[in-house]
């Protein structure tokens, strides 16, 4: 198929490359010239495992091209909308200006029979409104909503082998046509038996935000239990293992620690609450306010625990911060709990020396006042305390004895519950963690 992907960020760039890999003829469009130049040269503009290799392969086939000009979309059959829907400044609601601008501009160039496919995470009701806009510009065009469930760090795998496909479709012949187009785009995944839920616009939009709200709730649930564990001396990691054996509960997404961040979970639960309020259903989602609050409390708790392992004062203490990205295998620092804690530690008087395998350039732009070191030993050298805030593989593998040789004070905060407390204590460390004795 001949398809465009409008918006080439974490979602769109991966989608474009994967679609080309699957054999489609793909044009990626973005307003950011630097991003398009990088992608056209086969370079990923952000860190995502497997993406550079995929870009190189796809570009070599000649099936993947990039442009900043929406007019180039005119003779394509299907158009994916993958632009961002960030949180509005000072409000919980999602900012739809990029989606609106993309669809408005695209609509001017649609050929008869084209299908517009929304992927961005939007408040329920958006697809129906945009469908009218598309129809007004090109009556024989259709709009479908096809939410995306990829995880950063696994984006290529999740796009090539999704665990389910969801189509939000219009009624009647338009819906049949839009479904045929989507089925053709996803021939390979459907052939592999990927489950498909074909439904209406509103259900498709709600599936996406409900999934993220559930995941956020699961994380905040275990973090709330971690608070109780801290008050009683219980161990939340053992507790999570034990309840996770119940297959109705499951162990995944029950890792207590610094909590969730990133460009999706935090802003999606806030936008969901805001939208429910507009619909008169705000009571239904008030629990998400608590989910958000529990999550943010973990960050201040991490700062307090760091102060505790430093004998009650951060002032003038050298703190090595390991990890800045919102999660491992990503350079994304949007709403990153790690970066937030690093900033708070510095603001409260500590001298922060931060490191991360991939996120330093992004972190430096947001917090130029922090000191950054490329290598872990350089960041740790002479530290009064080490705080592990993003569980990159190399931090999980730190050796307590060797690390102890580098520091000034053997105090460690395990903000992600990934180290072995017994091994660190045996090597003479003062070890603290969130939700563990
Ligand atoms: C999330 C969802 O997992 C994807 O399904 C969804 O498609 C995506 O948002 C999106 O809406 O685009 P992502 O933001 O890449 O994906 O990251 P997650 O793997 O969900 O992690 C989110 C945060 O939760 C991270 O900060 C992570 O450290 C934290 N987390 C995760 C925990 O604190 N504990 C856990 O047990 C799991």
């Amino acid at each position: 198929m001949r398809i465009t992907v409008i918006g080439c960020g974490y979602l769109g760039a991966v989608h474009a490359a994967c679609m080309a890999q699957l054999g489609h003829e793909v044009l990626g469009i973005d307003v950011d010239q630097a991003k398009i130049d990088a992608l056209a040269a086969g370079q990923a503009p952000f860190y995502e495992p497997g993406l550079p290799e995929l870009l190189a392969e796809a570009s070599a086939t000649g099936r993947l091209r990039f442009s900043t000009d929406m007019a180039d979309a005119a003779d394509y059959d299907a158009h994916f909308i993958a632009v961002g829907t960030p949180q509005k400044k000072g409000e919980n609601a999602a900012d739809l200006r990029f989606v609106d601008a993309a669809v408005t501009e695209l609509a001017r160039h649609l050929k008869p029979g084209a299908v517009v496919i929304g992927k961005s995470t939007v408040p329920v009701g958006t697809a129906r409104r945009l469908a009218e806009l598309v129809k007004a510009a090109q009556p024989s065009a259709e709009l479908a909503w096809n939410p995306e469930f990829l995880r950063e760090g696994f984006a290529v795998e999740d796009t090539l082998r999704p665990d389910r496909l969801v189509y939000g479709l219009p009624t009647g012949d338009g819906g049949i046509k839009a479904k045929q187009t989507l089925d053709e785009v996803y021939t390979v995944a459907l052939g592999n038996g990927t489950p498909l839920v074909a439904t209406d616009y509103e259900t498709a939009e709600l599936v996406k935000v409900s999934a993220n709200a559930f995941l956020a709730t699961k994380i905040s649930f275990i973090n709330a239990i971690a608070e109780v564990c801290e008050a009683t001396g219980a161990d939340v990691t053992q507790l999570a293992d034990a309840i996770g054996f119940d297959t109705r509960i499951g162990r995944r997404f029950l890792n207590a620690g610094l909590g969730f961040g990133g460009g999706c979970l935090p802003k999606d639960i806030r936008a969901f609450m805001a939208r429910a309020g507009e619909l008169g259903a705000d009571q239904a989602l008030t629990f998400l306010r608590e989910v958000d609050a529990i999550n943010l409390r973990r960050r201040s708790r991490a700062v307090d625990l760091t102060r505790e392992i430093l004998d009650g004062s951060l002032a003038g203490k050298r703190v090595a911060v390991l990890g800045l990205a919102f999660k491992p295998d990503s350079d994304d620092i949007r709403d990153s709990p790690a970066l937030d804690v690093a900033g708070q530690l510095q603001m409260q008087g500590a001298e922060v020396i931060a490191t991360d395998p991939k996120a330093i350039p992004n972190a430096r732009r947001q917090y130029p006042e922090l000191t950054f070191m490329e290598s872990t030993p350089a960041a740790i050298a002479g530290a009064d305390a080490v705080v592990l805030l993003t569980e990159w593989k190399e931090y999980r593998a730190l050796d307590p004895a060797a690390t102890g040789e580098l520091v000034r004070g053997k105090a460690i905060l395990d903000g992600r519950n990934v180290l072995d407390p017994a091994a660190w204590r045996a090597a003479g460390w003062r070890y603290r963690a969130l939700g563990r004795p």
Side-chain angles (χ1 to χ4, degrees):
M1 290 205 76
R2 287 173 56 74
I3 66 180
T4 73
V5 178
I6 295 155
C8 292
Y10 286 93
L11 161 61
V14 173
H15 191 69
C18 288
M19 291 300 111
Q21 174 79 3
L22 291 172
H24 301 303
E25 187 88 26
V26 182
L27 177 68
I29 299 181
D30 199 291
V31 291
D32 183 339
Q33 183 74 52
K35 203 178 272 177
I36 288 301
D37 289 346
L39 287 164
Q43 289 158 8
F46 50 84
Y47 178 70
E48 180 62 44
L51 182 58
E53 295 78 2
L54 196 66
L55 280 173
E57 272 174 45
S59 303
T61 63
R63 288 197 300 266
L64 179 61
R65 294 186 310 111
F66 292 93
S67 169
T68 51
D69 187 357
M70 193 71 90
D72 291 342
D75 63 337
Y76 283 75
D77 306 309
H79 307 272
F80 284 93
I81 306 296
V83 295
T85 51
Q87 188 176 343
K88 274 188 191 165
K89 283 213 166 34
E91 281 180 55
N92 272 347
D95 185 346
L96 292 181
R97 94 180 93 144
F98 305 112
V99 172
D100 288 350
V103 176
T104 305
E105 175 66 8
L106 172 67
R108 294 176 44 219
H109 301 288
L110 288 174
K111 70 175 184 185
V115 179
V116 179
I117 306 162
K119 275 220 157 284
S120 309
T121 302
V122 291
V124 58
T126 306
R128 197 162 292 281
R129 177 171 64 76
L130 294 176
E132 280 173 23
L133 202 153
V134 165
K135 283 280 179 202
Q138 177 51 267
S140 66
E142 299 298 338
L143 177 128
W145 216 262
N146 169 224
E148 179 58 54
F149 304 101
L150 67 80
R151 300 157 296 166
E152 286 179 29
F154 302 91
V156 172
E157 174 65 20
D158 287 350
T159 305
L160 291 174
R161 279 169 283 277
D163 50 15
R164 80 286 214 188
L165 289 165
V166 176
Y167 303 168
L169 301 168
T171 47
D173 289 348
I176 294 169
K177 197 180 128 233
K179 181 171 183 299
Q180 277 168 354
T181 300
L182 280 157
D183 284 350
E184 208 173 325
V185 168
Y186 293 121
T187 306
V188 174
L190 291 169
N192 291 336
T194 306
L196 165 66
V197 179
T199 180
D200 53 82
Y201 291 146
E202 287 75 15
T203 306
E205 291 167 319
L206 282 173
V207 164
K208 169 68 196 194
V209 283
S210 307
N212 277 0
F214 189 84
L215 294 171
T217 303
K218 204 170 175 191
I219 299 167
S220 276
F221 171 81
I222 200 65
N223 280 330
I225 300 299
E227 291 187 2
V228 181
C229 287
E230 282 160 22
T232 59
D235 186 327
V236 74
T237 60
Q238 289 184 330
L239 182 149
D241 289 344
I243 63 172
F245 284 122
D246 183 334
T247 50
R248 294 170 303 172
I249 296 173
R251 180 63 179 82
R252 295 177 74 189
F253 267 67
L254 278 187
N255 294 321
L258 255 194
F260 60 82
C264 304
L265 262 45
K267 65 107 176 152
D268 285 355
I269 59 168
R270 292 171 197 152
F272 199 10
M273 283 186 272
R275 186 65 184 133
E278 288 167 6
L279 294 166
D282 45 342
Q283 248 190 331
L285 298 185
T286 44
F287 75 95
L288 288 178
R289 214 183 299 153
E290 198 52 42
V291 166
D292 201 8
I294 293 164
N295 191 54
L296 295 176
R297 273 209 300 275
R298 295 286 76 190
R299 302 179 186 187
S300 24
R301 177 70 179 149
V303 174
D304 291 345
L305 278 177
T306 308
R307 187 182 296 105
E308 235 174 88
I309 56 173
L310 284 166
D311 295 322
S313 169
L314 291 168
K317 300 281 174 55
R318 197 177 165 109
V319 177
V321 163
L322 306 185
L324 297 161
F326 85 103
K327 69 176 201 178
D329 291 317
S330 172
D331 64 357
D332 195 345
I333 53 147
R334 286 176 293 171
D335 207 339
S336 166
L339 188 55
D340 197 2
V341 169
Q344 286 183 42
L345 288 170
Q346 173 96 355
M347 224 158 58
Q348 295 188 30
E351 180 198 357
V352 169
I353 316 290
T355 188
D356 187 284
K358 297 290 174 193
I360 291 178
N362 287 339
R364 185 179 273 130
R365 271 192 288 278
Q366 190 167 324
Y367 275 101
E369 64 275 26
L370 301 180
T371 303
F372 299 96
M373 292 281 176
E374 294 291 338
S375 88
T376 309
I380 287 174
D384 297 301
V386 176
V387 297
L388 191 165
L389 302 180
T390 312
E391 69 277 32
W392 286 90
K393 208 167 159 193
E394 65 170 279
Y395 305 151
R396 305 170 79 120
L398 278 179
D399 175 58
T403 310
E405 301 285 316
L406 300 172
V407 295
R408 187 155 65 196
K410 285 192 186 179
I412 187 155
L413 173 70
D414 180 4
R416 293 289 179 180
N417 285 319
V418 290
L419 302 175
D420 175 3
W424 285 79
R425 288 186 176 126
W429 286 78
R430 176 188 285 194
Y431 170 96
R432 289 304 305 266
L434 293 151
R436 280 171 132 177

